[in-house]
Amino acid sequence: MKHIITEVRDKVLLIGINRIEKRNALNKEIMLELESTFSSIPDGIGCIVIHGFGDHFSAGLDLSELKEMDVEEGLYHSIAWRPILDKMQFGKVPVIAALHGACIGGGLELASAAHIRVADESTYYALPEGMRGIFVGGGGSVRIPRLVGTAVMMDMMLTGRIHNAEEGHRLGFSQYITEKGKHLEKSIELARRICDNAPMTNFALIQVLPRIADSTQDIGMMMESLTAAITQSAPEAKRRLNDFLEGRAKKVKE
Ligand code: 1HE
């Protein structure tokens, strides 16, 4: 791989975008490398952390790709992002996006497909597509309003508004905020905690929770009951329940 560097730390897979000279702008090559990475997660991995090398998470889509594109090519270009980000969102294990510096356009769309976002204080969020005369094309109009609401996205796209790390955190872009440069360390710490859960529960969470959020109350309730029944019946769940009941498991205290 040319622009993606992976590293396994125990059960955590780190996926690093490494195109520093172009501020990690996402070109076709990177997207194909991401697709291939998310299609071949090694056995035993319990959580993934995606991050950017250099000073930024990502400056978004490589705009040079749109220079000569006609309508038909533009449609296929946008559609091509879909399975890649879907693989990330609906894979086998949770994904944490560790953010710093620019998290712009397609970079924000990529981060929005993760299950948790950890931002350091240098992070900023922008959707400059309006300025560039284009539209989001990597699922942003579907995923970003689910994080921060349509009004926030509308404002960012219409006015070019940039949200700094603190504002982005308050709005719901990130779930954690760290000192500058500590985003990766914090993400790995969280990923290790996630790896301690029963894999079946993690899988159910990433697969079922967003789908319930998109369902009617009635269908959501039924999906929840079915998922509860399946997860509790796994031998792993029985072992963990017995551990608690027999005094061997950690208590839940602050
Ligand atoms: C790029 C890109 C890019 C940098 N596509 N080449 N995204 C944007 O509109 C953001 C565009 N980028 C920027 O505003 C700035 O580059 C940054 C604020 C992120 C960083 O600034 P700086 O001063 O550190 O770097 P630079 O000098 O602007 O960029 C270094 C090189 O990266 C330079 O190329 P060089 O050949 O002159 O060295 C830049 O042209 C190049 N570069 N960002 C192409 N994005 C699925 S649809 C999603 C649609 C979108 O994502 S729209 C948002 C696009």
Side-chain angles (χ1 to χ4, degrees), residues 172-192:
F173 278 122
S174 61
Q175 283 66 55
Y176 296 85
I177 192 158
T178 73
E179 284 171 41
K180 190 170 184 317
K182 300 280 188 207
H183 54 298
L184 193 54
E185 189 182 316
K186 179 71 183 172
S187 299
I188 294 169
E189 176 204 320
L190 295 168
R192 288 191 199 280

Side-chain angles (χ1 to χ4, degrees), residues 9 12-14 47-51 95-100 116-121 123 169 174-195:
R9 292 205 198 166
V12 180
L13 175 66
L14 305 184
C47 191
I48 293 170
V49 175
I50 185 163
H51 65 102
V95 180
I96 299 177
L99 308 176
H100 74 304
I116 294 179
R117 279 149 297 279
V118 177
D120 87 353
E121 58 195 15
T123 308
H169 187 66
S174 61
Q175 283 66 55
Y176 296 85
I177 192 158
T178 73
E179 284 171 41
K180 190 170 184 317
K182 300 280 188 207
H183 54 298
L184 193 54
E185 189 182 316
K186 179 71 183 172
S187 299
I188 294 169
E189 176 204 320
L190 295 168
R192 288 191 199 280
R193 246 187 265 170
I194 289 171
C195 290

Side-chain angles (χ1 to χ4, degrees), residues 1 16 20 25 35-36 65 82 105 120 136 145 162 168 182 185 200 211 214 222 229:
M1 298 228 192
I20 297 173
E35 178 163 40
S36 145
E65 290 192 343
R82 206 189 288 169
D120 87 353
V136 283
I162 297 170
K182 300 280 188 207
E185 189 182 316
M200 193 61 193
R211 291 183 166 109
D214 286 345
M222 192 61 206

Side-chain angles (χ1 to χ4, degrees), residues 21-23 25 59-63 105-106 109 124 128-129 132 137-138:
E21 70 289 359
K22 295 287 181 187
R23 310 306 185 249
L61 173 68
D62 187 320
L63 293 170
E109 294 182 275
Y124 63 97
E129 283 84 346
R132 309 279 182 235

Side-chain angles (χ1 to χ4, degrees), residues 123-135:
T123 308
Y124 63 97
Y125 307 89
L127 291 168
E129 283 84 346
M131 271 164 65
R132 309 279 182 235
I134 57 174
F135 197 70

Side-chain angles (χ1 to χ4, degrees), residues 35-208:
E35 178 163 40
S36 145
T37 306
F38 280 108
S39 303
S40 51
I41 304 303
D43 287 345
I45 293 297
C47 191
I48 293 170
V49 175
I50 185 163
H51 65 102
F53 287 98
D55 292 336
H56 304 282
F57 177 68
S58 170
L61 173 68
D62 187 320
L63 293 170
S64 67
E65 290 192 343
L66 298 186
K67 247 183 7 188
E68 310 287 337
M69 233 178 242
D70 64 18
V71 172
E72 192 180 350
E73 289 166 331
L75 178 65
Y76 294 135
H77 180 270
S78 168
I79 284 178
W81 274 49
R82 206 189 288 169
I84 305 168
L85 270 55
D86 278 358
K87 256 184 198 140
M88 176 171 157
Q89 184 179 0
F90 295 112
K92 257 182 22 192
V93 300
V95 180
I96 299 177
L99 308 176
H100 74 304
C103 186
I104 298 179
L108 181 50
E109 294 182 275
L110 178 66
S112 302
H115 304 98
I116 294 179
R117 279 149 297 279
V118 177
D120 87 353
E121 58 195 15
S122 74
T123 308
Y124 63 97
Y125 307 89
L127 291 168
E129 283 84 346
M131 271 164 65
R132 309 279 182 235
I134 57 174
F135 197 70
V136 283
S141 63
V142 176
R143 291 192 180 95
I144 294 170
R146 283 168 166 78
L147 294 180
V148 295
T150 301
V152 170
M153 179 169 181
M154 185 75 86
D155 179 25
M156 289 171 78
M157 289 197 69
L158 284 175
T159 68
R161 184 168 182 173
I162 297 170
H163 289 294
N164 66 24
E166 197 58 54
E167 290 162 345
H169 187 66
R170 270 203 307 276
L171 288 168
F173 278 122
S174 61
Q175 283 66 55
Y176 296 85
I177 192 158
T178 73
E179 284 171 41
K180 190 170 184 317
K182 300 280 188 207
H183 54 298
L184 193 54
E185 189 182 316
K186 179 71 183 172
S187 299
I188 294 169
E189 176 204 320
L190 295 168
R192 288 191 199 280
R193 246 187 265 170
I194 289 171
C195 290
D196 286 341
N197 294 341
M200 193 61 193
T201 303
N202 285 345
F203 181 77
L205 276 167
I206 64 176
Q207 297 294 329
V208 178

